[in-house]
Amino acid sequence: MTPSNPTFSNFELKASDFGSDFIWGVSTAAYQIEGAHNSADKGESIWDRFTRNKKNIYQGQNGHITCDFYNRYKEDILLMRSMNIRHFRFSLSWSRLIPEGQGQLSIDGIDFYNRVIDICLECGITPWITLYHWDLPQALEEKGGWTNRNILNWFEAYTRQCGQLFGDRVKHWIVLNEPMVFTGAGYFLGVHAPGKKGLRNFLPAVHHATLCQALGGKVLRDTVEKALIGTTFSCSQITPYSQKEKDVKASRKADALLNRLFIEPSLGMGYPVKDLKVLRRMEKHQKPEDQKNMIFDFDFIGIQNYTREVVKHSFTVPYLRSKIVNATKRNVPTTLMDWEVYPKSIHAMISQFNSYEGIKKLIITENGAAFEDNVLNGEVHDPERLSYLQEYIKEVHRAKEEGLGIAGYFVWTFIDNFEWAEGFYPRFGLVHNNFKTQKRLIKTSGKWYSSFLKNH
Ligand code: FCB
């Protein structure tokens, strides 16, 4: 399928305006696209388990099949190539490679990722591997998962295996995907796998993830020659609801939690305890050598931005005393996730991260939007997503022009997929998927992205 070349709105930027070495790609994650949840000897992951309880997910859906990428990777990567996409970020399913999380490797799992990598390289597409995009092996969760300090040993061994298996061909590595989200949603709020709640789970999970973030970097440095190593953070510009002191203070706490918690210890600054006092309780989980073991000199930092948050003071929210004022209550344009469309947020986050000393390079490793899509006469016309992408990309360009160290941009996501607790309802893809027939259809936004990337 070769995408046709419709004319697009008044977007005047060209990919070349970002420089010839700027990286353009698409991002995905194993549980969201692979399916084949129990093929060969694959082990169960926490998402396989969590989705068993139908109450956890929109309409009781799960990722058993999703895009069936496990069987269709070849067609999908060829489609990517036809869309001029040259960088593909995907994650490894830990339990597909090591069914019990530690010990015995799966030949089938190794084989699968070898085939994915090889076809990428044959197509001239650079593979970017995320080691951990939220699907912990259930066998490890049974031992406490991220709350158990032994995760350091499990993660170290897993990372070493991956580096040794794939590092001859894969040079771009991402250690963790959005630790704030998998610890916050998974170990504090209980709305993502493994569905644990409370500070007593959250704080150790945060601390162990921070240590693994640095440890993963070090192990990759040891095992993969000439690797470019990064890790990713979710981040949103935080705006106080009013200029009242208590709202400003609330917004500072939210910023510490949502934007600073994981990056600052990796830079040697420790946790942002001054702005978020509850983090003092983390001490209980720390050993003296941890301060230095949280540090790693990443080659790039992946920032993932979708929206901004407006925050106000609230007595009723424990620990934080702040709450998010939902976009729907603020009468602003939103996506299907009820996230505000606010392109300036991506610029603000590039600028905030750029101001840290010690960051070498920033890459937008995710940005994108879910809107309602309809197939009409074999086409999906998605002007809202198209305009969202263009407006955010313009802000990335503004940052670049200002000399901020931004080196790449990946769209979330290549193809509509399983959006965690929201199931299949929000579609974020450049490519539409019919989950019954698995037929792929490039949306207008995808056609635009491919024409934008042409000749780059
Ligand atoms: C990010 C996740 C990604 C996807 C997008 C919409 O937080 O990293 O897997 O769910 O949001």
Side-chain angles (χ1 to χ4, degrees):
M1 197 184 340
T2 314
S4 57
N5 221 341
T7 35
F8 299 103
S9 56
N10 57 353
F11 181 79
E12 277 158 14
L13 285 172
K14 294 191 285 309
S16 57
D17 296 334
F18 292 74
S20 58
D21 53 354
F22 197 84
I23 292 151
W24 295 98
V26 289
S27 286
T28 61
Y31 189 73
Q32 294 181 277
I33 62 167
E34 285 179 4
H37 70 112
N38 61 359
S39 67
D41 53 348
K42 179 181 173 295
E44 192 185 14
S45 82
I46 55 174
W47 274 93
D48 293 317
R49 178 63 65 93
F50 189 67
T51 53
R52 270 209 224 159
N53 182 343
K54 295 203 182 311
K55 286 197 213 112
N56 286 336
I57 315 290
Y58 175 77
Q59 291 190 351
Q61 294 166 342
N62 59 52
H64 285 4
I65 303 172
T66 178
C67 309
D68 193 29
F69 182 78
Y70 177 82
N71 293 305
R72 294 166 198 264
Y73 65 95
K74 193 168 175 190
E75 291 89 325
D76 282 340
I77 293 167
L78 288 171
L79 182 62
M80 228 173 264
R81 182 177 67 176
S82 82
M83 292 169 70
N84 307 316
I85 293 163
R86 290 290 175 266
H87 295 269
F88 174 34
R89 172 182 170 219
F90 57 93
S91 76
L92 304 176
S93 155
W94 187 340
S95 67
R96 191 181 294 291
L97 281 168
I98 310 176
E100 293 301 309
Q102 50 182 340
Q104 193 72 38
L105 284 158
S106 158
I107 302 296
D108 182 80
I110 298 172
D111 213 57
F112 169 62
Y113 291 114
N114 272 332
R115 281 181 278 126
V116 169
I117 293 164
D118 290 343
I119 185 91
C120 280
L121 296 175
E122 274 168 41
C123 287
I125 293 175
T126 306
W128 292 59
I129 284 185
T130 310
L131 281 173
Y132 186 75
H133 201 130
W134 306 357
D135 47 350
L136 190 74
Q138 179 63 28
L140 300 181
E141 181 54 37
E142 257 134 56
K143 299 185 162 69
W146 286 97
T147 68
N148 183 339
R149 196 173 167 105
N150 283 333
I151 188 92
L152 271 69
N153 304 323
W154 306 328
F155 192 71
E156 180 175 6
Y158 164 63
T159 304
R160 195 171 299 283
Q161 287 288 6
C162 295
Q164 286 168 352
L165 286 164
F166 310 121
D168 56 335
R169 287 151 296 154
V170 179
K171 300 297 174 191
H172 295 80
W173 292 81
I174 287 168
V175 180
L176 299 182
N177 183 71
E178 299 188 346
M180 182 54 218
V181 178
F182 77 75
T183 56
Y187 288 85
F188 185 73
L189 299 172
V191 296
H192 276 189
K196 283 187 174 162
K197 289 185 184 165
L199 270 194
R200 72 190 167 88
N201 288 308
F202 178 65
L203 294 180
V206 166
H207 187 53
H208 302 145
T210 307
L211 287 166
C212 281
Q213 179 177 272
L215 179 61
K218 286 173 200 153
V219 173
L220 289 170
R221 190 71 84 221
D222 274 1
T223 40
V224 183
E225 235 178 274
K226 298 199 179 125
L228 281 171
I229 304 165
T231 197
T232 75
F233 301 110
S234 47
C235 57
S236 301
Q237 181 183 358
I238 308 289
T239 314
Y241 183 68
S242 78
Q243 283 313 309
K244 284 189 202 139
E245 203 190 313
K246 57 183 187 173
D247 286 343
V248 173
K249 216 168 141 201
S251 75
R252 218 176 296 131
K253 282 191 231 166
D255 186 47
L257 180 70
L258 300 178
N259 296 328
R260 299 169 48 202
L261 182 57
F262 289 91
I263 178 70
E264 295 193 358
S266 85
L267 295 170
M269 301 163 69
Y271 292 114
V273 180
K274 247 175 59 203
D275 286 313
L276 195 59
K277 302 267 178 325
V278 64
L279 295 176
R280 285 205 192 118
R281 301 194 198 178
M282 197 92 100
E283 268 166 28
K284 173 158 119 209
H285 306 285
Q286 297 190 35
K287 297 195 173 180
E289 67 273 23
D290 289 0
Q291 283 302 327
K292 84 171 186 320
N293 288 337
M294 298 195 285
I295 303 174
F296 183 71
D297 189 20
F298 285 104
D299 299 312
F300 66 92
I301 291 298
I303 58 185
Q304 317 204 142
N305 173 261
Y306 291 87
T307 186
R308 73 159 166 178
E309 302 293 1
V310 171
V311 170
K312 79 194 273 193
H313 172 77
S314 161
F315 269 125
T316 52
V317 180
Y319 316 117
L320 212 52
R321 304 275 174 247
S322 346
K323 71 168 186 207
I324 286 173
V325 185
N326 287 344
T328 33
K329 288 202 184 127
R330 291 187 280 116
N331 198 21
V332 289
T334 57
T335 69
L336 213 57
M337 303 287 280
D338 285 340
W339 296 345
E340 181 182 359
V341 177
Y342 192 75
K344 285 198 178 110
S345 173
I346 206 166
H347 179 279
M349 292 329 294
I350 296 171
S351 161
Q352 182 167 334
F353 276 76
N354 193 74
S355 67
Y356 285 118
E357 227 171 277
I359 291 189
K360 294 183 189 149
K361 236 188 228 185
L362 297 172
I363 295 180
I364 303 294
T365 36
E366 285 184 22
N367 170 244
F371 290 106
E372 207 178 306
D373 293 326
N374 293 302
V375 183
L376 212 82
N377 304 326
E379 305 223 11
V380 178
H381 189 49
D382 58 341
E384 289 168 300
R385 181 174 299 99
L386 175 63
S387 135
Y388 177 103
L389 294 173
Q390 293 180 337
E391 294 306 314
Y392 276 70
I393 288 173
K394 277 189 204 161
E395 288 294 322
V396 175
H397 184 252
R398 185 158 72 88
K400 171 100 184 148
E401 290 287 282
E402 290 168 5
L404 307 181
I406 180 80
Y409 174 96
F410 288 69
V411 177
W412 183 271
T413 179
F414 177 60
I415 184 170
D416 295 340
N417 59 44
F418 180 77
E419 179 49 36
W420 311 112
E422 320 299 326
F424 295 103
Y425 171 62
R427 292 175 174 267
F428 277 86
L430 294 172
V431 174
H432 181 274
N433 191 35
N434 177 326
F435 291 99
K436 290 203 183 88
T437 60
Q438 295 295 345
K439 186 171 162 19
R440 284 30 171 169
L441 206 60
I442 305 174
K443 300 177 194 177
T444 301
S445 58
K447 292 180 186 172
W448 168 74
Y449 197 49
S450 82
S451 77
F452 177 70
L453 298 183
K454 204 168 176 195
N455 307 323
H456 181 61

